[in-house]
Amino acid sequence: MKLFRHGLMGAEKPGMLDDQGVMRDLSGQVSDIGGAVLSDDGLSAIGSLDPTSLPVVPEGTRLGAPVAGIGKMICIGLNYADHAAESGAQVPPEPLIFMKATSAIQGPNDPIVIPRGSEKTDWEIELGIVIGTPAKYVSEKDALDYVAGYVLANDVSERSFQTERTGQWTKGKSCDSFGPLGPYLVTRDAVVDPQNLAMKLSVNGEVMQNGSTSTMVFGVAKLVSYLSQFMTLHPGDVISTGTPPGVAMGMQTPRYLRPGDVVELEIEGLGRQRAELVADS
């Protein structure tokens, strides 16, 4: 299934795509796409519905992040060897973890706001994992059983804030609008192999990133298991799994984002984002 959330920011309603790709409203069936709805039982209940009996969502309706009530967004750094190389870093022996503030999360096509003082706003296409069942001390073998599904993510980053200021990476990753998610939460059963998904990102029509989740250093099952050894993963938590090469920071002459630029990205089977860059007011 492909689930989404639609409507004004802060007042989104749940929805699903029918077999013809028509957007249908789920607000008469579930309160939102989050919490217990993300469990296997919750998703099965939605899957048992006849989508054609549900109201149609008008074309052009704004889409929000496809998951409600995200408790934490955990990001994985340097999880593609070729991206680590372009960043001038070594592949870490264990997953490199940092957090993105949930206040950065927004819909897939909402404008990305360049923060005041930024000169190095950058893009990163990533596969996002959405947790469906509380996970603590889970094995790698069982890890995917705790996953509700997957989302397309753009781990927007301000490189000066991230690497040239003191402290950790979080402040370069957490500016408002730096966490576009969606358009869809694609349920686990609809993604045959999360380690074999094509990924592409372009800026103003020029392809910058063209990779595959097959080249991850630490795969989905490993990441879910690994993180669950240190913290409980709750339904709705998102794990952003790292980016392939092609970011501005890795260019010989970096070309960072400016107001008016348009970033488009897609992961096979997960949908597409299109966002314009704007300056903070």
Side-chain angles (χ1 to χ4, degrees):
M1 289 187 297
K2 291 183 176 179
L3 306 177
F4 62 90
R5 297 172 65 246
H6 62 96
L8 297 176
M9 188 175 295
E12 292 92 346
K13 298 177 181 179
M16 68 184 300
L17 287 190
D18 67 19
D19 291 341
Q20 285 69 49
V22 176
M23 295 194 301
R24 301 283 181 166
D25 179 64
L26 276 172
S27 60
Q29 309 297 321
V30 296
S31 60
D32 215 334
I33 307 298
V37 171
L38 298 172
S39 69
D40 287 348
D41 288 345
L43 294 174
S44 292
I46 294 175
S48 68
L49 299 172
D50 174 10
T52 62
S53 68
L54 303 172
V56 172
V57 177
E59 290 188 20
T61 298
R62 175 189 171 271
L63 297 181
V67 181
I70 297 172
K72 50 186 177 287
M73 186 166 178
I74 309 164
C75 300
I76 309 300
L78 307 177
N79 198 29
Y80 290 73
D82 34 13
H83 171 59
E86 73 173 352
S87 302
Q90 299 293 317
V91 173
E94 297 185 26
L96 190 160
I97 302 169
F98 61 93
M99 307 295 279
K100 184 183 285 282
T102 56
S103 55
I105 295 170
Q106 64 174 18
N109 306 315
D110 293 335
I112 296 171
V113 181
I114 299 175
R116 292 182 185 178
S118 168
E119 294 292 337
K120 298 182 178 181
T121 296
D122 203 350
W123 57 81
E124 291 191 8
I125 185 173
E126 306 203 1
L127 173 68
I129 307 165
V130 178
I131 298 299
T133 302
K136 185 175 184 179
Y137 301 132
V138 304
S139 68
E140 189 170 344
K141 175 176 67 72
D142 296 330
L144 295 186
D145 294 340
Y146 296 82
V147 173
Y150 303 93
V151 295
L152 171 61
N154 187 356
D155 178 19
V156 185
S157 309
E158 210 301 332
R159 303 302 186 187
S160 176
F161 297 177
Q162 177 188 352
T163 64
E164 298 172 15
R165 308 280 288 270
T166 59
Q168 301 178 342
W169 288 3
T170 301
K171 63 179 173 288
K173 298 284 190 171
S174 295
C175 303
D176 292 349
S177 80
F178 273 24
L181 296 178
Y184 310 118
L185 165 62
V186 182
T187 52
R188 183 180 75 233
D189 61 300
V191 179
V192 175
D193 183 1
Q195 301 304 154
N196 190 30
L197 301 176
M199 319 167 71
K200 183 168 70 174
L201 181 146
S202 64
V203 177
N204 300 331
E206 180 181 357
V207 175
M208 300 296 185
Q209 293 184 277
N210 194 1
S212 169
T213 59
S214 64
T215 62
M216 278 185 195
V217 177
F218 304 107
V220 170
K222 172 66 176 181
L223 292 173
V224 172
S225 173
Y226 179 84
L227 291 169
S228 78
Q229 309 306 310
F230 304 101
M231 65 190 86
T232 300
L233 303 175
H234 294 282
D237 286 351
V238 174
I239 304 167
S240 200
T241 58
T243 197
V247 299
M249 179 176 64
M251 297 176 179
Q252 189 169 12
T253 303
R255 181 248 184 268
Y256 293 108
L257 294 168
R258 296 289 181 261
D261 287 344
V262 175
V263 178
E264 297 173 283
L265 54 152
E266 59 186 316
I267 293 180
E268 181 181 355
L270 301 189
R272 182 172 177 271
Q273 296 182 11
R274 184 185 189 279
E276 182 174 349
L277 276 291
V278 299
D280 202 353
S281 57

